[in-house]
Amino acid sequence: MAVSIEKATRSFATSDVALAEEVIADDARIDELAVALDEQAIEILARQQPVARDLRIVVTALRVSASLERMGDMSEHIAQLARLRFPERAIPKGLKGTFTRMGELDVEIARTLAELLRTQDLRFADTIRNADDDVDELHASVFEKVLSDNWKGEAGATVDATLASRYHERFADHAVAVAKKVVYLATGDWAIDEEDIALAVEAQHEAESGSGHA
């Protein structure tokens, strides 16, 4: 996922149509992996009838695969904008810095998400939540820019800016959704709010500290 969004944001920033085509083609592979994960989880449910934590793992896998697939779609949509506007730049004038930062944050979020899934260290979930807040602020700033009286962009530039901003923002939102599912796996609390992620991090840290002193 990190590779996909990194390529997508780079193609968007540089109008690299070849790189955009790579992202678009690779999305099919992400879709295939998501379907394979779903099929494996359903087979486990049918054959093994897991309970307790094992059941939470399977349910989490089903929910996570959907969010990861949507993250791949957001990368594809960003790349499609780059391809659509080629050879012109897809980023409207006056917003390059904003989209550069949004792209950097999405790449950081994707890399952190990979570490969260690998380690189940909930500190990574908190990092993702905080980065998502930064993306949300940038997303809001794009809309403020294009709706202001000082905005001189043409209709096409306005559409590109709003769509691209939305895709970046949704990518981060889906990462938060995955992070919340990993918190569910650790805590058993499905209805956890984003603000509760920090509390879960503290609880995990205290549990690890307690076991270390035992």
Side-chain angles (χ1 to χ4, degrees):
M1 200 59 60
V3 173
S4 177
I5 190 63
E6 192 277 330
K7 287 183 177 180
T9 55
R10 185 148 50 93
S11 70
F12 185 67
T14 63
S15 297
D16 188 332
V17 70
L19 197 59
E21 293 286 3
E22 286 183 25
V23 176
I24 294 166
D26 289 345
D27 184 62
R29 177 56 178 161
I30 294 173
D31 293 345
E32 290 173 1
L33 290 172
V35 170
L37 179 58
D38 288 349
E39 290 176 347
Q40 185 176 8
I42 291 169
E43 183 176 356
I44 291 173
L45 285 172
R47 292 177 177 273
Q48 300 182 22
Q49 298 181 345
V51 297
R53 179 173 170 79
D54 289 340
L55 179 59
R56 291 212 306 267
I57 291 173
V58 176
V59 171
T60 299
L62 283 168
R63 297 296 185 90
V64 164
S65 69
S67 293
L68 292 176
E69 189 271 334
R70 290 300 295 152
M71 291 172 73
D73 288 344
M74 295 304 104
S75 295
E76 181 186 25
H77 293 337
I78 293 169
Q80 287 173 334
L81 281 176
R83 183 177 66 177
L84 176 66
R85 295 305 175 193
F86 181 80
E88 301 297 325
R89 288 289 179 95
I91 298 180
K93 292 181 179 179
L95 289 172
K96 181 177 181 180
T98 300
F99 278 111
T100 296
R101 183 57 185 150
M102 289 182 82
E104 291 171 348
L105 285 167
D106 277 350
V107 172
E108 291 172 12
I109 285 170
R111 290 172 177 167
T112 304
L113 183 61
E115 287 302 302
L116 173 62
L117 292 171
R118 184 179 66 84
T119 66
Q120 294 182 34
D121 184 336
L122 299 187
R123 287 173 294 187
F124 290 122
D126 201 35
T127 299
I128 291 168
R129 180 184 65 84
N130 291 331
D132 176 62
D133 289 342
D134 292 338
V135 173
D136 288 343
E137 289 181 6
L138 291 168
H139 176 56
S141 75
V142 170
F143 275 76
E144 289 175 2
K145 179 85 172 181
V146 300
L147 293 175
S148 71
D149 293 335
N150 296 326
W151 176 249
K152 304 301 182 183
E154 297 179 356
T158 303
V159 171
D160 288 348
T162 54
L163 285 177
S165 183
R166 180 62 172 165
Y167 297 151
H168 282 83
E169 186 261 346
R170 289 302 296 157
F171 183 94
D173 283 350
H174 285 298
V176 171
V178 174
K180 290 171 67 176
K181 293 173 179 69
V182 176
V183 173
Y184 158 74
L185 179 60
T187 66
D189 186 356
W190 189 255
I192 191 169
D193 293 327
E194 290 182 22
E195 291 76 10
D196 294 332
I197 291 177
L199 297 176
V201 172
E202 292 179 9
Q204 185 184 63
H205 178 68
E206 290 175 359
E208 291 173 350
S209 298
S211 62
H213 292 307

